[in-house]
């Protein structure tokens, strides 16, 4: 499972870094606004022979002190993710949520990433 988590993390990071936006696993690793964090909740799919594949509930959070900037970055991420085709993986958009706290906007994008 660790390998799948690392692979998904590297994949997500490479897609977002190509947009020139800082991306990290946690807020503590980031600098100034805007930035993106992500987390993976990986679940193995078992068969009688053992683990057959993995499924990850992946959450991307775009954080900015400017709503339009956060929305633009979230839109770019969705565009890039929808255009991606990787052998062995399937990306499925789940939902988008917006939140504002202390003048900072967080746009959360939820994806299901499956290995097959």
């Amino acid at each position: 499972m660790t390998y799948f988590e690392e692979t998904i993390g590297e994949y997500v990071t490479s897609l977002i870094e190509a947009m020139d936006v800082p991306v990290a696993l946690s807020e503590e690793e980031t600098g100034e606004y805007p930035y993106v964090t992500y987390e993976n909740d990986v679940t193995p799919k078992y068969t009688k022979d053992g683990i057959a594949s993995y499924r990850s509930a992946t959450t991307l959070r775009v954080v900015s002190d400017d709503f339009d900037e956060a929305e633009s970055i979230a839109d770019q991420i969705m565009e890039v993710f929808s255009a991606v085709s990787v052998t062995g993986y399937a990306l499925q958009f789940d939902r988008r949520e917006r939140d504002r706290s202390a003048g900072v906007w967080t746009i959360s994008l939820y994806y299901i990433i499956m290995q097959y």
Side-chain angles (χ1 to χ4, degrees):
M1 183 160 47
T2 301
Y3 178 73
F4 177 74
E5 287 179 280
E6 290 171 2
T7 303
I8 292 298
E10 290 168 3
Y11 180 61
V12 167
T13 300
S14 68
L15 290 174
I16 296 170
E17 283 179 340
M19 293 186 288
D20 203 27
V21 177
V23 59
L25 268 171
S26 69
E27 292 180 36
E28 291 77 31
E29 298 176 30
T30 60
E32 298 178 9
Y33 300 120
Y35 62 85
V36 177
T37 63
Y38 72 94
E39 62 185 64
N40 297 312
D41 182 14
V42 178
T43 306
K45 179 181 177 186
Y46 292 95
T47 66
K48 63 179 179 151
D49 298 322
I51 297 174
S53 63
Y54 295 97
R55 177 183 184 274
S56 174
T58 300
T59 305
L60 301 159
R61 290 188 177 85
V62 179
V63 183
S64 177
D65 55 357
D66 180 271
F67 175 78
D68 291 333
E69 181 178 54
E71 280 287 300
S72 174
I73 293 168
D75 289 344
Q76 289 175 52
I77 290 171
M78 290 183 68
E79 186 176 317
V80 167
F81 274 45
S82 69
V84 166
S85 176
V86 177
T87 303
Y89 296 96
L91 279 75
Q92 177 183 344
F93 177 71
D94 184 29
R95 69 187 186 279
R96 179 179 189 146
E97 296 177 356
R98 296 167 182 87
D99 184 46
R100 182 170 186 237
S101 178
V104 177
W105 285 95
T106 302
I107 312 290
S108 299
L109 303 173
Y110 296 89
Y111 281 87
I112 305 299
I113 302 175
M114 296 165 280
Q115 176 193 42
Y116 58 90

